[in-house]
Amino acid sequence: NYISVRKDGTDNGRINDIGARLSASVAQKYGFQNYGIQSFGNNCLIIDNTISEGSDGIVLEQGSCQVRDNDISEQQDAAIKVTGGTHTITGNNITQPNYYGIHFLSEASPGSVIDNNTISSTVEGLYCEGAISLVVSNNILSSIIKQGITLKQSSSSSIFHNTIQHSGTAIWCDSTLNITVYDNTLVNSKWGMKSEDATFLVVRNNI
């Protein structure tokens, strides 16, 4: 089973069979703890939606999803929140969430990919806690008050080919194991790269 959530309503799958809950493809001002799209399902496609305001834009609770080409803005907490499962998050345009662009929590399963997203004007750009075998690549982050990309208590993950500009700290690795950071472009941030209690951290060819 799968679900496809699209702005034009085409091919929305069988929502009840996989436990995905959809509040709206276009969500505005639903208040605290209300989401634009919330998914619990496997093989979900969440594509080309416009989601504004509310508590969080897209929440992935478990299973597996492709989240791509969505415009997400002005959430109270996170534009995209991952609390479980293994997902591919790509091609999304994220602007002005109140705190997180993408918030990846420790309950998520190994092997997710966060690629080719644009995140701007928020406090934390991409904040990952407890990630395992996570790939963070080809993202563009700008005007981030604190960290552009954070890996905290994470392991066996890679950060590469990202562009981060105008942030407090471009990349921060905190209590990590076996992280590789390479070929990133870090521009006009207070700190390019910071690490604390990082074991087997490899940093190379960043500009």
Side-chain angles (χ1 to χ4, degrees), residues 29-48:
K29 279 193 176 177
Y30 285 108
F32 191 72
Q33 294 300 324
N34 283 277
Y35 312 133
I37 297 171
Q38 185 180 26
S39 175
F40 300 85
N42 290 307
N43 302 317
C44 299
L45 305 177
I46 301 174
I47 304 169
D48 195 26

Side-chain angles (χ1 to χ4, degrees), residues 50-100:
T50 298
I51 302 170
S52 62
E53 301 179 329
S55 174
D56 299 294
I58 296 172
V59 178
L60 307 175
E61 299 279 5
Q62 60 189 38
S64 60
C65 288
Q66 291 187 42
V67 178
R68 54 187 165 97
D69 301 327
N70 300 283
D71 288 314
I72 312 168
S73 62
E74 299 181 349
Q75 282 68 41
Q76 295 172 20
D77 187 32
I80 298 175
K81 182 178 289 183
V82 180
T83 63
T86 300
H87 309 284
T88 299
I89 300 170
T90 184
N92 301 285
N93 184 37
I94 296 170
T95 57
Q96 293 185 310
N98 193 49
Y99 204 85
Y100 299 102

